[in-house]
Amino acid sequence: MTDESTPSTVHVLGGGPSGLSAAFHLAQQRRPDLRIVVHQMGWRLGGKGATGRDAAAGNRIEEHGIHLFGNMYANALHMMNDAFGALDDGRTIETEFEVSNFQMVTDFSGGRWHGFESSLPHNDELPWEHGTVADPAALVTSMLTTIEGILSSQELPIPGTPPATSAASDRPSRLRSAIDFVRHHSPGGLAERLAGLLGGLEAAKAAVGDDLHAVSHGSLLEMLEHFAALIEQAMSEIGDEGDLLGWIFVELDLLATIMRGCIADEIFVKGIDSIDGPSYQDWLRSHGASDALMRSSILLVVPNTCMSYADGDSTQPPTMSAAAFVTFILRQIVAPGNAAYFFKVGTGETVILPLYEVLLQWGVEFEFFTKVLDVVPSDDGSRIGSLVIERQAALADGVGAYEPLAVISGGTMYMPSEAGYEHAKQQPDAELVWPNVADFGQLADGAELRARGINLESWWADWAGTTSTLTLGPDDAVVVAIPPRAQAAVCTSALAGSPAWGTMIDHVETAATQALQIWLDRSTPELGWRELPGTDRWLGPSYTNPISAFADFTRTLASESWPAEGGPKGLIYFCGVLQDPMEIPGFDDHAFPDQQTQRVRDMAAQYLRQLGGLLPYAAGGGNDANTLDYSVLHCYDETGSPTGENRVDQQFFRANIDPNERYTVSAPGTLQYRLNSWESGYANCALCSDAIFNGFNIGSFEASVAAGKLASLTVSGLPDLDHVYGFEFLRPDPPQPPPPILPPPS
């Protein structure tokens, strides 16, 4: 700093997960010499995790897709735990998140859909209290526990019992383990051999408890192969009903193939990044994956979860590197805690809101309706010298700073500019929320924006604000927390001056996505999903593409404002990729967003016509026994008595097509182009999005939070790499940062 009385300004470009993480970890240091300003396009924060409440439809929660934290989300969970601790208002991870360990993977074979239910790897530990991601030695004990779970806690129908005839009753009894299933079918001793192996596995776990190196990776592989061989033998001896063991077999074969590949390719020595070149399919095949595994939908679980389809084209095989695929599975296996942490309300209220509140408390400034148009290097090209900014909307007279949060009280939403807002905030039931539209009353041109239906979050909006240039001071810094496709549009000058940065943006692939939420007049158990224990909920990633993922969000209904009588009884979210058109039009084609939204609506209506394979008791509408009975869709407005597909219009569907909404894809061979946060080529600029090298390197909230930590490290020197959890996982020689841009005052 040239003047101790004038703090350096850190301009964080983008208020999505990576930008909020960067601001959080900078502000957490409480440095008086730093002023932190977050520049955000439109009226709300969250990026792909932004949530909006619809006041016209029961204050329902509208998301960009299915969002939750996995157990491997160490950085995200640590950040949220720190945020709740700083707010100190009674909110904790335990009060705001709900755990779940259930997954159903759907597989189409024999002319129909089959659902395989399983319990995901989990334990009783708290991931936000762990200080690191487990090393390769600890992988052995985690893998042993996973094998035990596959063999002893899967639920399989008791042989000979008839199928269920109704949704909630007459469920067939179920066996608690694959060994019991084999014992029922095959009296020839296979079950005892499996049980004996399981006993050996218990002994191995006990040995590892005393010495992490007591069981080698090779010994672990032998166990996996032996278990898989016995299950395969059981399938052959049992006959047709042995197919029910098929899922057990492919789970074991997947783990065995991964271990075989890790040993053969010396991953524990050379590092996980050494297998980024091949696709995960080619890599698994090269290491002896069975034909059954290669045909199974289990291989779609990870890429569907990660939206790994180039340009959103799900008619082609997924586009995912072996490094990304193996990282996901191994990180899930070794991670502490429950498999999934669902948000008690929406992403906006559970995650983004407390981050916003604590950042305000720490003095971070937010500039809403600020769209970056260019990031411009200094004359000598050594640093970023200025930012070209579009002020999308001026504030109305008397409005000092835009207030983005509405309040819900008594089932009514009040915008900050509306009468009754302050009174509503004081009520015991008051809840702060992110609205799904801007508060036009706070904007000078609000009446025109409202009348014309202008969406200032859309890059295709038919609206132009005022352009200005923000010149950076000699001690200011920039954090570019803008997703890669958006960087290509608004960082053109900086990219031209930094070949490596430009190359990264050219090579990192992205995909548009789509979201669908349906409210139901019958509960999900009535429609075919059995009641699950505790807070477990239905979650699956592999139904028919392109809308492949589904999850039961019925518990969220309690946070919406539906009437006590006549409100919806069930709520399911769906999401998947959205294929790009042959040519994405320029931003002057203002009709493009509406065209894509209509496209998603039409695909949703068609998708629901094949929902019988997923929700068997929701089917039977019209002449097709597989199609959804559209009368179960809840409509918030029954005026005109909408029927059939017309009821889809009152559900929520969304095309995530904007450059900042596209999902980052971990395509084979592209890791080499990902830069570290400190490699922008400019002395005062930190890169920050899930497209940079962040340790996880898979499009996700976790990767974004890790990127934000790395940007904070690049700017300030903190947190150190040991606290960027997973950055060094399976990396014997991880990259090291240079001295920070703005070191703490001495």
Side-chain angles (χ1 to χ4, degrees):
M1 288 175 54
T2 57
D3 182 349
E4 293 186 2
S5 65
T6 305
S8 300
T9 299
V10 181
H11 296 276
V12 179
L13 309 184
S18 65
L20 292 174
S21 172
F24 182 91
H25 291 98
L26 285 166
Q28 191 177 32
Q29 301 171 42
R30 316 296 286 127
R31 282 177 53 175
D33 64 316
L34 294 184
R35 172 182 173 239
I36 302 164
V37 182
V38 177
H39 301 270
Q40 174 60 38
M41 178 181 175
W43 68 88
R44 58 182 169 177
L45 303 171
K48 289 187 282 291
T51 295
R53 294 293 196 114
D54 188 345
N59 294 321
R60 68 186 188 185
I61 298 166
E62 298 173 345
E63 299 269 12
H64 282 63
I66 297 172
H67 297 295
L68 55 99
F69 288 172
N71 58 351
M72 76 284 280
Y73 280 34
N75 292 290
L77 286 164
H78 272 84
M79 180 175 70
M80 294 311 303
N81 189 55
D82 289 349
F84 291 136
L87 290 169
D88 193 25
D89 58 6
R91 284 177 288 180
T92 66
I93 288 183
E94 288 90 341
T95 65
E96 304 306 303
F97 290 73
E98 292 186 339
V99 301
S100 181
N101 298 304
F102 178 87
Q103 176 178 261
M104 185 177 79
V105 179
T106 49
D107 195 79
F108 190 81
S109 63
R112 66 185 183 90
W113 285 97
H114 303 265
F116 297 96
E117 301 174 13
S118 63
S119 178
L120 293 165
H122 64 280
N123 52 52
D124 294 331
E125 299 178 76
L126 304 178
W128 52 92
E129 292 185 355
H130 276 254
T132 187
V133 173
D135 61 22
L139 171 63
V140 171
T141 187
S142 299
M143 189 76 83
L144 291 171
T145 300
T146 301
I147 299 168
E148 181 183 33
I150 291 172
L151 289 165
S152 62
S153 66
Q154 301 277 32
E155 292 190 350
L156 296 170
I158 288 180
T161 56
T165 57
S166 67
S169 62
D170 297 330
R171 284 277 180 191
S173 300
R174 307 173 78 84
L175 295 169
R176 285 300 301 172
S177 77
I179 295 175
D180 290 339
F181 186 89
V182 174
R183 184 174 288 115
H184 268 273
H185 279 85
S186 177
L190 268 179
E192 283 62 39
R193 292 169 64 189
L194 278 167
L197 273 179
L198 202 58
L201 185 147
E202 285 294 329
K205 284 178 62 181
V208 172
D210 297 325
D211 178 7
L212 282 178
H213 298 276
V215 178
S216 69
H217 295 124
S219 299
L220 174 62
L221 175 58
E222 289 179 10
M223 288 185 197
L224 278 163
E225 291 178 332
H226 203 165
F227 276 122
L230 285 179
I231 291 293
E232 191 171 28
Q233 183 180 345
M235 291 166 59
S236 175
E237 290 187 9
I238 291 171
D240 291 342
E241 289 190 273
D243 289 346
L244 292 168
L245 289 172
W247 192 253
I248 307 292
F249 171 75
V250 296
E251 285 187 289
L252 292 170
D253 192 45
L254 174 59
L255 296 181
T257 305
I258 287 175
M259 287 305 303
R260 195 180 303 120
C262 286
I263 293 170
D265 290 346
E266 300 182 275
I267 301 305
F268 303 115
V269 176
K270 296 180 180 179
I272 190 68
D273 302 335
S274 63
I275 59 168
D276 186 68
S279 70
Y280 77 93
Q281 302 98 320
D282 288 346
W283 186 81
L284 291 171
R285 194 177 291 109
S286 72
H287 290 293
S290 66
D291 289 342
L293 173 59
M294 297 308 299
R295 291 193 304 268
S296 171
S297 65
I298 196 173
L299 294 190
L300 296 177
V301 169
V302 174
N304 281 3
T305 299
C306 302
M307 308 289 180
S308 296
Y309 293 87
D311 299 321
D313 184 2
S314 59
T315 68
Q316 300 299 312
T319 304
M320 192 174 206
S321 75
F325 183 86
V326 175
T327 292
F328 188 102
I329 290 179
L330 295 187
R331 284 277 297 269
Q332 184 178 52
I333 288 173
V334 303
N338 290 279
Y341 293 83
F342 280 87
F343 311 143
K344 191 173 182 180
V345 193
T347 313
E349 276 81 69
T350 301
V351 178
I352 307 303
L353 176 59
L355 292 175
Y356 176 61
E357 290 174 316
V358 76
L359 290 175
L360 287 178
Q361 180 177 294
W362 288 342
V364 174
E365 301 170 36
F366 290 87
E367 294 285 346
F368 292 96
F369 303 105
T370 302
K371 181 180 178 181
V372 177
L373 297 180
D374 201 5
V375 178
V376 183
S378 57
D379 290 341
D380 65 1
S382 65
R383 59 193 303 278
I384 299 301
S386 62
L387 305 172
V388 181
I389 298 291
E390 177 189 335
R391 303 290 180 184
Q392 295 176 287
L395 297 178
D397 291 343
V399 178
Y402 184 78
E403 169 53 64
L405 300 172
V407 64
I408 295 175
S409 176
T412 300
M413 183 190 298
Y414 299 88
M415 290 291 202
S417 65
E418 294 178 335
Y421 174 79
E422 291 298 333
H423 176 74
K425 280 182 68 175
Q426 306 306 315
Q427 301 311 302
D429 67 341
E431 178 187 7
L432 291 173
V433 300
W434 301 95
N436 67 346
V437 294
D439 180 9
F440 297 111
Q442 296 187 63
L443 306 178
D445 295 316
E448 182 181 357
L449 288 164
R450 188 201 309 271
R452 292 178 54 192
I454 299 296
N455 175 10
L456 291 179
E457 288 185 335
S458 172
W459 290 59
W460 281 271
D462 186 11
W463 184 266
T466 59
T467 301
S468 62
T469 298
L470 192 161
T471 301
L472 273 61
D475 296 306
D476 291 347
V478 177
V479 173
V480 181
I482 301 172
R485 187 64 69 91
Q487 289 183 37
V490 302
C491 298
T492 50
S493 295
L495 294 176
S498 174
W501 185 1
T503 299
M504 178 179 76
I505 298 305
D506 287 341
H507 284 85
V508 173
E509 298 182 18
T510 64
T513 65
Q514 57 184 308
L516 168 66
Q517 297 170 210
I518 59 173
W519 286 259
L520 302 161
D521 281 330
R522 291 163 63 191
S523 68
T524 51
E526 290 177 303
L527 298 177
W529 288 352
R530 65 187 176 90
E531 297 272 9
L532 298 176
T535 56
D536 278 355
R537 63 172 79 182
W538 286 75
L539 169 69
S542 61
Y543 198 50
T544 180
N545 273 315
I547 307 175
S548 57
F550 57 89
D552 188 345
F553 276 78
T554 299
R555 288 193 183 92
T556 306
L557 291 173
S559 300
E560 299 176 341
S561 304
W562 300 104
E565 299 292 333
K569 297 178 181 178
L571 173 58
I572 303 176
Y573 289 9
F574 303 88
C575 66
V577 293
L578 179 66
Q579 185 176 358
D580 290 332
M582 290 290 289
E583 183 176 348
I584 299 175
F587 298 133
D588 57 350
D589 186 349
H590 307 304
F592 182 63
D594 287 342
Q595 293 167 357
Q596 295 304 298
T597 300
Q598 182 64 39
R599 179 179 165 217
V600 169
R601 181 266 179 215
D602 293 342
M603 281 196 290
Q606 186 62 34
Y607 173 82
L608 295 177
R609 285 186 174 273
Q610 51 191 345
L611 208 60
L614 187 62
L615 281 173
Y617 306 113
N623 299 318
D624 185 351
N626 193 47
T627 191
L628 174 75
D629 178 356
Y630 285 95
S631 69
V632 305
L633 294 179
H634 179 83
C635 290
Y636 55 86
D637 183 0
E638 291 284 1
T639 302
S641 301
T643 60
E645 284 191 9
N646 291 327
R647 299 184 73 82
V648 175
D649 295 331
Q650 294 194 44
Q651 310 311 303
F652 178 70
F653 38 87
R654 179 184 177 93
N656 299 311
I657 57 172
D658 284 290
N660 57 311
E661 294 175 340
R662 296 174 65 91
Y663 212 94
T664 301
V665 175
S666 302
T670 59
L671 188 61
Q672 62 184 307
Y673 302 109
R674 290 184 179 231
L675 299 180
N676 289 295
S677 177
W678 49 84
E679 293 179 323
S680 71
Y682 300 102
N684 65 338
C685 180
L687 300 179
C688 178
S689 78
D690 62 6
I692 70 169
F693 189 94
N694 55 69
F696 198 40
N697 299 324
I698 299 169
S700 60
F701 203 109
E702 171 65 6
S704 296
V705 174
K709 282 186 165 183
L710 291 164
S712 175
L713 168 62
T714 300
V715 171
S716 69
L718 292 174
D720 57 41
L721 278 183
D722 288 342
H723 290 88
V724 184
Y725 307 114
F727 189 77
E728 299 177 350
F729 180 67
L730 292 181
R731 288 188 179 85
D733 187 24
Q736 299 296 313
I741 297 169
L742 299 171
S746 56

